[in-house]
Amino acid sequence: MLPKAKKKFGQHFLTDQLIIDRIVNAIAPKVDDVMIEIGPGPGALTLPLMGKLNHLHAVEIDRDLAAALVNTVRARFAASQFTLHETDVLDFDFAPLGDRFRCVGNLPYNISTPFLFHLAKYESALIDATFMLQKEVVDRMVAAPDTEAYGRLSVMLQYRFAMKRLFDVPPESFTPPPKVNSAIVRMVPLATDRLRAIDDAQLAKIVTAGFGQRRKTLSNTLKPYIPANEIEALGIDPKRRAETLSLAEFILLADASLVG
Ligand code: SAM
C-alpha cells in the first residue's frame, strides 16, 4: 500500500508500470555505475534500478518514507547495496560520490529549479542526469531564444548541459495525480572545450539582470554592468531584450562587462 502523500514535499508517486519501465530503460543502468536517486519515496524507481546495479545512493527528505524504504529494500537486497542519505537534497554535497556519477529521479516539482542550479555546481563530476519534471520546466530548460519559455533557466543550463526531452508522462501515471503534465529530460554535461565565460558568476549576474525585467531593453536592464554604447560596440543592439539573446551573446556581454 502507498503511504499518504505529503503536499509540502511535492509527493506524487509513480504507479504506472509501463512508465516506470520506460524510465529505467532510458536510464540504462550499468552494473558498476555510481548512481544517485533524488527523492526515492516508496521506491517505484529505486527497486528496479537496484535490480540492475551493484549499489545505489538515494537522498530522501521525508523520514517516514526513508524508514519504510530501508525496510522494503532490505527485504530484497543486501544492506551494503543501498546508501540512503536522509536530508534535503538542496543541502546535499555530491562531491563524496567521486568524479564520475549519474543522477536520476522523479523530482519534487516545488524545488526543481533550485535543485537544478545546485546540481549544476557538480557538472564536472556528473556523467548524466535523467529527471522527471513538470513539463513546463522541461520546456524552459530546452527553450530557444525568441520563445516564451526562454529564460534564465534555459541559458544557465544550456551553458553547461546538452539537454533532450525524452517523453511526456500524463498525470494518471501518478498517485495522487499532479495538476500538470510531466516530462522526462536527459542532461549531459558539455565537453570542457565548450564556449565559456571568463567568470561564471558574472554571466549569472548578467543573465539574471537581463531576465529580471523581460520586457525592458538591454540598455535598461544591464545599465549597472555595461553602458549602451559598449553593448553596441559588441555588435548587439542595446534596444533588444534579453529573450532575444543567444548564449554566445550573453557570454560576450558578461565578458565585456568585466573590462569596464
Ligand atoms: N520517486 C518516487 C516515485 O517516483 O514514486 C517519489 C517521487 S515524489 C514526486 C518526490 C520525492 O522527493 C518524495 O519522496 C519526496 O519526499 C522527496 N523530496 C521532496 N523534497 C525533497 C528534498 N528537498 N530533498 C530530498 N527529497 C525530497
Side-chain angles (χ1 to χ4, degrees), residues 9-14 39-41 60-61 65 87-89 106 108 111:
F9 292 140
Q11 292 175 354
H12 297 277
F13 306 125
L14 258 177
E60 174 58 62
I61 197 171
L65 288 187
T87 186
D88 184 337
V89 72
N106 170 11
I111 60 151

Side-chain angles (χ1 to χ4, degrees), residues 92-131:
F92 185 73
D93 180 7
F94 288 83
L97 296 180
D99 58 5
R100 303 278 301 151
F101 73 91
R102 304 184 69 195
C103 193
V104 302
N106 170 11
L107 296 184
Y109 298 161
N110 49 348
I111 60 151
S112 50
T113 301
F115 167 69
L116 291 169
F117 279 107
H118 178 56
L119 184 70
K121 293 181 216 146
Y122 300 90
E123 90 192 85
S124 62
L126 188 66
I127 297 175
D128 65 4
T130 309
F131 295 132

